[in-house]
Amino acid sequence: MSIEWLVRIATEYWPMFVRGARMTLLLATVGTIVGFFIGLLVGAVRTVPREGGLIRRVLLWIVDAVLAVYVEVFRGTPMIVQAMVIYYGSAIALGLHMDKLTAALFIVSVNTGAYMAEIVRGGIVSIDKGQFEAAQAIGMNHWQTMLYVILPQVVRNILPATGNEFVINIKDTSVLNVISVTELFFQGKSVAGGNFRYFETFLVISAIYLILTFTVTRILRYIERKLDGPEHFIPYANQMQVQTPEDILRKKRNAVGY
Amino acid sequence: MNNVIEIKHLSKSFGAHQVLKDIDFSVRAGEVVCIIGSSGSGKSTLLRCINLLEKPSGGQIIYRGQDILTNPSNVYALRAKLGMVFQQFNLFNNYDVLGNCVVGQMKVLRRSREEAEEMALKYLRLVGMEQFIHARPRQLSGGQKQRVAIARALAMEPDVMLFDEPTSALDPEMVGEVLKVMATLAASGMTMLIVTHEMAFAREVAHRVVFMDQGVIAEEGPPEQIFINPQQERTRQFLQRTQRRQ
Ligand SMILES: Nc1ncnc2c1ncn2[C@@H]1O[C@H](COP(=O)(O)OP(=O)(O)O)[C@@H](O)[C@H]1O
Ligand SMILES: [Mg+2]
C-alpha cells in the first residue's frame, strides 16, 4: 500500500466519490422512508381484526395472504437478485423500460418495505392491549385508534429498528451496481478499473461508507433521546408562579398558530 | 321509566366457559351502583359488555330505550356516551395529560381544539390535575394517572361513568385521592357503575350495591342491606372473607 496513492486517489477522484456518496444516500434515504410507510401500511392492514360479515372476513384473508407473500418473497431473496429480475425482467417480460434510478429506488423501497412490515407488525402486537381498549372505550374506530393512538407509539418504538434499516441500506445499496446505478461502490469500481489500484481505491471507499454510517447512527440516536424527553415532570406551579394553565395554553396556541 | 341502562337475560361465554348467566339489572339516571364480588365472578365482563368491549352471547342491553345489541349501527357513538375508567389507567402514552383529555373530543365528538382544551381543563381542575397538563403519563404517579383517566372520560361529557376497580392497581396511600374524586362526582349527580373492593366507599357512596358470584347477581339492595343485613348466605361469607383480609 502506498500513502501517495491513497492521497492521489482521494484528491483526484473526489468529485466522483461525492457523487457516488450522494447517490448512495439518496437511495438509502428514499428507500428507508418509502419502505417505512409501506411497512406502516402493510403492518396496519395485517393487524385489522378479522371480524364482521363473511365477505369482509374473506376479503381480509385474501389481502393478508397477498401481503404475506410479498413479505416472504422480498425477505427471502437477495436484493441483488431482485434487482436483476426487476430491472432486466420488466424490460423483457413487460416491455417496460425503467430508467436505472427509478428501478433502483423501487427495489430498495419495496425491499425495505418487506422488512419494515414485519417490524411494524411486531411493534403493533407489542403495544399494551389497554391502549386499544382505552381508545375504543372513548369511541374511536379501528382507523382512529391506529392513527391517533397505536401507530404513533409504534413509530417511536421502532425508531431504532428503522435506523438500523437505514444503515443497512447505505451499505446494501452497493449491490445495485449490477444495474449500473452510479452509487458509491460503482464509482469505486470505475476508478479502480482505470488505475488498477483496487486496494487503495476501495480503502477510500470504505472510509466514506464508514463516515456515512457513523454519522447517520449518531444523528438517529440524538433524535431518539430528544423524543423521549425528561424522566420527571415539574408542575407549572413550581416553575412559574404567576401563570395559570390557561396562560400556558394561550401561549402555546400563539406560538404554533392554531 | 328513567332507566339509563337496562340489562335483560344477559349471558356471556368464552368458549365453553360461561362467565355471565342470565343477568338482569338496571341503572337509573343519577344512580350510583357499586358491584362487588370475588375475583373471577364476572364483574369486569359485565362492565365490558355494557360498552361492547366484549360481545355478549345472549340477552339484551337497553340504553335509553334502544337495544344496542340488535342495533349495533353506532357502537362508536354509544361508547362515547359511556365513560370508562380502567384498573390499569390506560392513559395514551403518546400524549401528554392535556392531549389525553383532548384527542377523543376532537376526533370522536369533532370539537374544535379550543373547545376541547377548555373542557379538558375544566375536568382536570375537578380532579386536581390542572398543574400537569404538559406532563407525560410515565411522569405521573398511579393516583395522578387515574385522576387524569377520570378527567379524560369526563371531558367527553358522558351519560354514564363505568369504573372497573379504579383503585386496585394503586399503592394504598393513593387510593384516597381517587376515591375522593369519585365521591365528588357521585355527589354531583353523575350516573355511575363502579366495580370495587373498597367496601367502606361502597357503603358510603352507593345508592345500591350488587353482589356478584360465579356469573350471577346473588344479591342486590341498598348498602345497609348488603353490608349490615345480607339476605344471602354467600353474600355474608364473601363479606366475612373481605373483612378478614382488611
Ligand atoms: N377474554 C377472555 N377469555 C377467556 N376467559 C375470560 C376472558 N375474560 C375473562 N375471562 C374469564 O371470565 C371470568 C370472569 O372474569 P372477569 O369478568 O374478569 O371477573 P372479575 O372482574 O369479577 O374478576 C374469569 O374466570 C376469567 O378467567
Ligand atoms: Mg375484574
Side-chain angles (χ1 to χ4, degrees):
Chain A
M1 179 181 103
S2 87
I3 302 289
E4 293 96 272
W5 267 106
L6 273 182
V7 174
R8 205 170 132 191
I9 288 166
T11 49
E12 205 167 312
Y13 297 105
W14 68 265
M16 273 181 84
F17 294 151
V18 168
R19 261 183 283 133
R22 280 211 331 240
M23 177 59 80
T24 291
L25 273 183
L26 174 74
L27 291 173
T29 310
V30 172
T32 309
I33 292 172
V34 176
F36 178 77
F37 284 106
I38 294 175
L40 275 187
L41 195 67
V42 173
V45 169
R46 292 194 70 189
T47 48
V48 172
R50 308 268 179 85
E51 47 193 43
L54 183 67
I55 297 177
R56 186 184 146 91
R57 284 207 309 272
V58 170
L59 222 63
L60 278 172
W61 186 87
I62 293 171
V63 170
D64 186 60
V66 170
L67 294 177
V69 169
Y70 156 63
V71 169
E72 287 307 321
V73 167
F74 278 88
R75 286 184 356 142
T77 58
M79 189 153 77
I80 193 165
V81 176
Q82 293 162 18
M84 299 300 271
V85 170
I86 289 173
Y87 184 62
Y88 296 106
S90 66
I92 292 166
L94 308 171
L96 193 70
H97 292 277
M98 274 194 256
D99 77 271
K100 277 178 249 164
L101 181 59
T102 313
L105 289 173
F106 178 80
I107 291 156
V108 199
S109 301
V110 171
N111 186 281
T112 309
Y115 282 93
M116 288 305 302
E118 283 306 278
I119 293 170
V120 169
R121 199 156 75 114
I124 293 172
V125 170
S126 70
I127 297 284
D128 177 28
K129 211 171 111 249
Q131 297 285 309
F132 290 87
E133 292 194 339
Q136 283 171 352
I138 222 166
M140 290 189 190
N141 59 33
H142 177 76
W143 291 109
Q144 288 173 324
T145 302
M146 278 294 166
L147 207 56
Y148 303 121
V149 177
I150 305 303
L151 290 183
Q153 296 183 46
V154 171
V155 167
R156 167 62 196 90
N157 293 348
I158 66 172
L159 218 57
T162 310
N164 196 37
E165 282 300 311
F166 190 23
V167 171
I168 288 174
N169 277 341
I170 290 176
K171 297 184 291 176
D172 285 6
T173 46
S174 58
V175 304
L176 294 173
N177 81 84
V178 292
I179 57 169
S180 312
V181 184
T182 55
E183 43 68 53
L184 192 52
F185 178 84
F186 185 88
Q187 301 291 56
K189 233 172 44 170
S190 309
V191 168
N195 61 17
F196 298 108
R197 287 283 169 171
Y198 281 91
F199 178 60
E200 287 87 351
T201 307
F202 279 100
L203 211 54
V204 173
I205 296 288
S206 311
I208 300 173
Y209 271 117
L210 201 57
I211 291 168
L212 292 182
T213 53
F214 186 80
T215 315
V216 164
T217 312
R218 292 303 122 136
I219 292 172
L220 288 169
R221 210 167 290 162
Y222 175 77
I223 293 173
E224 266 170 53
R225 266 207 310 274
K226 267 268 139 136
L227 280 179
D228 281 347
E231 199 57 44
H232 298 288
F233 181 79
I234 302 142
Y236 289 104
N238 305 343
Q239 227 169 27
M240 303 171 199
Q241 302 286 346
V242 291
Q243 271 191 331
T244 65
E246 277 87 356
D247 288 331
I248 297 161
L249 279 186
R250 210 170 305 125
K251 208 174 268 174
K252 190 180 124 211
R253 228 177 255 151
N254 292 341
V256 276
Y258 17 69
Chain B
M1 204 174 53
N2 57 353
N3 280 337
V4 182
I5 296 170
E6 213 177 325
I7 289 168
K8 292 181 182 166
H9 307 297
L10 183 73
S11 65
K12 170 69 185 174
S13 302
F14 292 106
H17 181 191
Q18 194 171 7
V19 173
L20 296 178
K21 301 162 195 161
D22 200 23
I23 300 272
D24 276 302
F25 108 112
S26 51
V27 183
R28 285 192 300 278
E31 199 178 20
V32 176
V33 179
C34 283
I35 303 177
I36 60 171
S38 44
S39 156
S41 56
K43 307 179 298 293
S44 296
T45 306
L46 173 59
L47 220 58
R48 293 161 57 82
C49 279
I50 292 175
N51 69 0
L52 300 180
L53 282 181
E54 299 290 356
K55 197 168 176 285
S57 312
Q60 287 178 297
I61 298 175
I62 297 157
Y63 170 73
R64 296 225 176 250
Q66 295 249 347
D67 186 342
I68 60 175
L69 295 182
T70 52
N71 243 329
S73 58
N74 221 337
V75 185
Y76 307 114
L78 170 80
R79 286 181 182 150
K81 290 244 153 245
L82 305 174
M84 178 99 171
V85 175
F86 299 88
Q87 182 176 346
Q88 298 297 339
F89 332 121
N90 298 343
L91 291 185
F92 302 135
N93 293 323
N94 55 320
Y95 290 100
D96 61 10
V97 164
L98 187 68
N100 265 279
C101 299
V102 158
V103 63
Q105 296 185 66
M106 287 177 66
K107 302 305 172 192
V108 178
L109 303 179
R110 309 239 161 255
R111 287 182 183 154
S112 73
R113 176 174 289 277
E114 285 185 23
E115 199 185 346
E117 286 185 344
E118 211 165 287
M119 190 67 75
L121 217 48
K122 173 177 158 191
Y123 289 105
L124 283 169
R125 253 202 197 101
L126 181 79
V127 303
M129 286 299 290
E130 76 277 14
Q131 303 294 344
F132 292 84
I133 51 177
H134 293 313
R136 315 289 301 189
R138 69 189 164 82
Q139 297 167 323
L140 302 176
S141 72
Q144 291 174 327
K145 281 187 210 171
Q146 196 60 299
R147 285 186 282 145
V148 172
I150 293 172
R152 171 176 70 180
L154 290 174
M156 300 290 286
E157 299 193 293
D159 204 11
V160 181
M161 286 285 286
L162 310 173
F163 292 84
D164 190 1
E165 299 196 31
T167 59
S168 295
L170 297 178
D171 292 336
E173 71 269 22
M174 291 170 187
V175 170
E177 65 191 65
V178 172
L179 292 181
K180 209 175 108 207
V181 167
M182 290 169 64
T184 311
L185 203 55
S188 76
M190 172 64 78
T191 311
M192 294 162 81
L193 192 48
I194 306 165
V195 174
T196 186
H197 290 297
E198 297 291 333
M199 298 305 162
F201 173 82
R203 202 164 157 169
E204 202 171 308
V205 173
H207 299 127
R208 189 151 50 95
V209 176
V210 172
F211 169 60
M212 283 188 68
D213 186 40
Q214 298 182 13
V216 298
I217 293 181
E219 182 169 356
E220 65 178 304
E224 301 77 42
Q225 174 195 323
I226 303 290
F227 291 116
I228 299 167
N229 187 21
Q231 306 296 302
Q232 302 285 331
E233 180 59 21
R234 38 185 177 168
T235 314
R236 214 172 47 72
Q237 280 174 357
F238 168 74
L239 288 169
Q240 256 171 13
R241 278 200 307 275
T242 60
Q243 259 154 22
R244 218 174 303 131
R245 225 185 299 140
Q246 275 161 5

